[in-house]
Amino acid sequence: MTSYLDFEKPIAALESRIIELRETADEGSLDIESEITKLQSKSSKMLRDTYTRLTPWQKTQVARHPERPHFKDFVKGLFDEFIPLGGDRNFGDDQAILGGFAKLGDRRLVVIGHEKGDDTESRLRHNFGMGKPEGYRKAIRLMDLADRFALPVVTLVDTSGAFPGVSAEERGQAEAIARSTEKCLSLGVPMIAVVVGEGGSGGAVALAAAERVLMLEHAVYSVISPEGCASILWRTGDKADVAADAMQITAQNLAKLGVIDRIIEEPIGGAHRDSNLAIATLGKAIAEELDELVQLERSALRSARRDKFLKIGSL
Amino acid sequence: MSWLSNVRNKIASITKRETPDNLWHKCKKCEAMVFLKEFEDNMHICPKCEHHGRIGPMTRFAQIMDENSWKLIPWAKVQEDPLKFKDQKKYADRLKDARAKTGEQDALINVVGTIETLPCVVGVQDFAFMGGSMGLAVGQAFVDGARRALKDQCPYIIFTAAGGARMQEGILSLMQMPKTTVAISMLREAGLPFIVVLTDPTTGGVTASYAMLGDVQISEPGALIGFAGQRVIENTIREKLPEGFQTAEYLKDHGMIDLVVHRKELRATLAQVIGYLMAWKDAA
């Protein structure tokens, strides 16, 4: 059963009508068959139209869709092999940020990303994808490992933000994020960051200071959540849609602003409608980017990455 | 003119108060009333409770730098209002207001000069300018401050004060986190010290980037320092926050800061620290 977003209600109505008709149509009545075909073309047109015209706030909801592929799905679909590595060697093994060795085709690399979980139990275990300091320190450790053993780094960003809690503050959430960003920028190996769902603020950028930043077509990436922005600047969370517009958070916006390098097309109706296709498309793109980046020397990679960020906003 | 002010102006007994409102200073912490002059002469520290009041860049430079040693590093031009952002008010108007109020271009000002004869570049964030928030102008100023330190082969000292990133510049404000971090890496590779002095308040994206990357981390007493806002945390964990949570002293106890230094000792401490970190250059 697909879960429908609010703005998908007309599509939901058509699709459930189709299912109903199918159930009554086991005799193979031609009338019903042609009715189904008509409805199907209508609903797929509606789906396509809706998804080509998604507002930034609707995209936010798609990016947060419970059935959207998450880190574990991407890892399973993208790589022929995955060896999970864990722990920050200091405090614990944060389950919101996962990583390990992985093989993309013949290419060995280190993959790191946020995992949100997909049911109540796993969401709690993964803390809804909100990393704690030990998670960012684990990422630093894995990036360091990649750097020393000449393995490219691929990150999959999908977080509403770093965890805001007393224990996280106690253990230096801000410092952990700052060091993780610093580590990204120091790497002498290729780094590709992909915002696959939500790119929430510092908790996202800590894994995304890469020379190539990719974004899925309906992913969002912003300095603060639309709700947070609305509650501060409009003094009500109800204006999240307006805030999402104003902040320019979509992949299309960010490509125009020069913040991201490439948009990865999603299946019609979003990655959750055909996650295999979404993952395969991303896999191809990562392979292409890596083919280019592995040609570069360590120092060239580092300076390309640094120049990219130094240039942002200068005239 | 409204009918009310017409009437009021005709009443002779209502005269303007002779004493200006700002003759007295009320301490934000202990609420003691002290003469403003006394408060200012005491480096904007409450003489009753030692609470360190917030100060702007010019006051800070006057306190920290050798007299007549310092001059401003000019602002580099950046894109202004890149998103044409508008909430209940236009961002362009907010900028105009902040500039009128502070007389400054944006929220981070750099000077080059000396502290106890030691050359350095010093940047100060101005909380009075849109909460010290970090957008393109602040990020660029930070990079320019670091570059000047590289050119002069001297330390870069930053006094932080900010609510975080400047939301009105959207993703571009977030990108200042990696951008400023690149500048710190350049200092590090050149063997030049980057010293952070955290002042009240320093939170959000500023804390989660350059404010936590100092070679030596100093804070003024009592400063609020944190990543997440206290209300956000309370809403997440649904419990009361511990006493003294996110203060300079709390961060020191948790290993995030080297020194909590009284404002009156700050200049001498900075000179001492610079002495150690630049000794290798003097020896070379």
Side-chain angles (χ1 to χ4, degrees):
Chain A
M1 250 310 270
T2 324
S3 19
Y4 291 97
L5 299 165
D6 267 355
F7 63 85
E8 293 177 316
K9 275 192 181 133
I11 300 163
L14 279 176
E15 289 185 349
S16 66
R17 177 80 188 121
I18 293 168
I19 293 167
E20 264 173 46
L21 283 175
R22 278 230 175 87
E23 278 164 2
T24 55
D26 34 22
E27 269 99 82
S29 143
L30 277 177
D31 281 358
I32 293 183
E33 279 304 325
S34 77
E35 176 71 11
I36 288 178
T37 319
K38 234 167 66 193
L39 285 176
Q40 262 171 340
S41 83
K42 196 174 166 193
S43 88
S44 49
K45 182 177 182 306
M46 195 184 275
L47 188 69
R48 189 176 311 114
D49 289 352
T50 306
Y51 270 76
T52 47
R53 268 183 253 129
L54 289 179
T55 65
W57 177 237
Q58 286 169 340
K59 278 186 190 269
T60 308
Q61 294 164 61
V62 174
R64 295 172 182 168
H65 196 289
E67 284 147 32
R68 194 170 173 85
H70 290 152
F71 181 82
K72 284 184 178 165
D73 307 303
F74 280 106
V75 164
K76 216 162 134 198
L78 284 174
F79 305 122
D80 300 321
E81 184 176 272
F82 176 64
I83 302 176
L85 301 171
D88 70 341
R89 303 296 185 271
N90 252 307
F91 181 81
D93 189 24
D94 189 13
Q95 292 302 302
I97 296 176
L98 303 177
F101 295 133
K103 247 190 199 173
L104 182 74
D106 294 331
R107 210 184 294 288
R108 292 184 170 86
L109 51 82
V110 165
V111 62
I112 305 167
H114 304 92
E115 172 60 55
K116 286 182 167 180
D118 45 23
D119 55 28
T120 307
E121 190 255 318
S122 67
R123 282 187 194 116
L124 286 171
R125 180 154 37 91
H126 295 292
N127 198 27
F128 302 86
M130 294 185 285
K132 293 181 181 167
E134 52 275 20
Y136 290 101
R137 290 181 181 128
K138 167 162 66 180
I140 293 169
R141 209 196 108 228
L142 296 186
M143 284 191 270
D144 188 63
L145 197 63
D147 196 25
R148 284 190 294 123
F149 295 95
L151 297 166
V153 174
V154 172
T155 60
L156 303 173
V157 174
D158 189 15
T159 181
S160 59
F163 183 61
V166 173
S167 60
E169 297 284 321
E170 265 177 358
R171 296 197 292 279
Q173 184 70 290
E175 197 259 0
I177 290 170
R179 294 275 173 220
S180 184
T181 311
E182 187 184 39
K183 182 48 103 180
C184 295
L185 293 164
S186 77
L187 296 176
V189 292
M191 177 173 185
I192 298 173
V194 191
V195 183
V196 294
E198 261 185 297
S201 196
V205 86
L207 298 185
E211 64 272 29
R212 292 289 156 83
V213 182
L214 282 43
M215 236 172 123
L216 262 58
E217 189 184 349
H218 304 307
V220 292
Y221 189 8
S222 64
V223 62
I224 183 171
S225 70
E227 296 94 324
C229 178
S231 76
I232 297 172
L233 292 180
W234 280 266
R235 312 220 169 260
T236 161
D238 297 345
K239 295 277 186 196
D241 56 338
V242 187
D245 259 337
M247 282 200 296
Q248 305 196 17
I249 62 176
T250 68
Q252 295 71 25
N253 293 146
L254 269 60
K256 246 184 235 154
L257 291 168
V259 171
I260 64 159
D261 304 288
R262 181 167 177 171
I263 298 174
I264 311 298
E265 201 179 313
E266 291 188 30
I268 292 163
H272 59 281
R273 286 210 170 227
D274 188 348
S275 57
N276 289 336
L277 178 58
I279 293 168
T281 313
L282 176 61
K284 242 186 266 163
I286 294 175
E288 284 169 18
E289 297 290 344
L290 279 178
D291 284 342
E292 265 183 49
L293 293 174
V294 290
Q295 315 279 336
L296 298 173
E297 300 276 335
R298 289 180 64 86
S299 60
L301 283 166
R302 198 181 295 135
S303 51
R305 196 178 302 131
R306 288 181 178 186
D307 289 346
K308 173 191 167 139
F309 288 101
L310 283 176
K311 264 200 318 231
I312 286 177
S314 51
L315 286 170
Chain B
M1 210 178 275
S2 76
W3 68 269
L4 183 65
S5 33
N6 260 326
V7 174
R8 281 167 66 103
N9 289 345
K10 283 176 192 152
I11 304 173
S13 60
I14 303 178
T15 50
K16 266 197 137 187
R17 280 170 56 198
E18 298 271 300
T19 51
D21 280 342
N22 58 3
L23 188 60
W24 291 90
H25 169 81
K26 183 176 171 187
C27 176
K28 285 208 171 69
K29 193 173 171 212
C30 73
E31 301 193 338
M33 297 293 283
V34 287
F35 273 116
L36 185 64
K37 176 88 174 52
E38 190 190 349
F39 176 67
E40 285 175 352
D41 288 347
N42 200 37
M43 299 181 97
H44 293 76
I45 301 164
C46 173
K48 302 274 193 294
C49 76
E50 299 291 311
H51 174 253
H52 287 45
R54 289 174 188 169
I55 54 176
M58 292 308 149
T59 311
R60 181 70 73 180
F61 295 133
Q63 290 181 2
I64 290 292
M65 309 301 291
D66 295 339
E67 221 179 324
N68 301 322
S69 80
W70 49 283
K71 62 173 196 289
L72 296 170
I73 299 176
W75 285 94
K77 277 215 161 70
V78 292
Q79 292 176 45
E80 196 158 301
D81 190 11
L83 307 185
K84 302 280 166 259
F85 192 95
K86 181 173 176 278
D87 48 79
Q88 288 169 312
K89 198 170 163 182
K90 278 188 189 154
Y91 174 42
D93 292 338
R94 284 187 198 271
L95 274 176
K96 234 183 266 165
D97 293 352
R99 283 175 187 156
K101 183 173 122 191
T102 61
E104 300 300 345
Q105 184 66 19
D106 213 294
L108 170 56
I109 297 176
N110 287 308
V111 299
V112 55
T114 58
I115 297 175
E116 296 194 354
T117 75
L118 301 165
C120 52
V121 176
V122 178
V124 173
Q125 265 178 297
D126 188 356
F127 192 74
F129 195 107
M130 294 193 71
S133 55
M134 170 174 64
L136 291 170
V138 168
Q140 190 60 47
F142 186 93
V143 172
D144 290 345
R147 282 204 169 123
R148 180 58 190 260
L150 279 167
K151 183 171 160 258
D152 292 5
Q153 290 291 295
C154 68
Y156 186 35
I157 302 168
I158 186 88
F159 286 77
T160 65
R166 192 168 297 168
M167 279 176 288
Q168 292 89 345
E169 294 185 13
I171 192 78
L172 296 171
S173 67
L174 190 69
M175 291 301 120
Q176 304 312 303
M177 292 173 68
K179 179 168 173 167
T180 52
T181 307
V182 171
I184 298 166
S185 309
M186 298 191 300
L187 290 169
R188 182 157 305 168
E189 280 155 23
L192 295 170
F194 171 55
I195 302 169
V196 175
V197 184
L198 297 137
T199 74
D200 184 62
T202 301
T203 60
V206 168
T207 320
S209 57
Y210 56 84
M212 279 294 148
L213 293 175
D215 295 310
V216 174
Q217 296 275 124
I218 299 172
S219 174
E220 288 198 327
L224 173 78
I225 305 157
F227 172 65
Q230 302 208 341
R231 227 171 354 136
V232 176
I233 298 174
E234 266 177 331
N235 286 340
T236 310
I237 58 167
R238 299 189 185 286
E239 59 186 65
K240 275 251 164 272
L241 299 173
E243 176 102 4
F245 183 60
Q246 291 185 328
T247 59
E249 294 74 13
Y250 176 92
L251 264 86
K252 180 161 186 333
D253 282 349
H254 288 88
M256 291 298 139
I257 288 175
D258 295 291
L259 300 158
V260 177
V261 180
H262 194 282
R263 192 172 284 167
K264 287 181 179 166
E265 313 292 328
L266 207 43
R267 182 177 138 84
T269 305
L270 282 171
Q272 275 179 308
V273 170
I274 295 171
Y276 281 93
L277 298 179
M278 292 298 281
W280 71 274
K281 271 192 83 75
D282 298 337

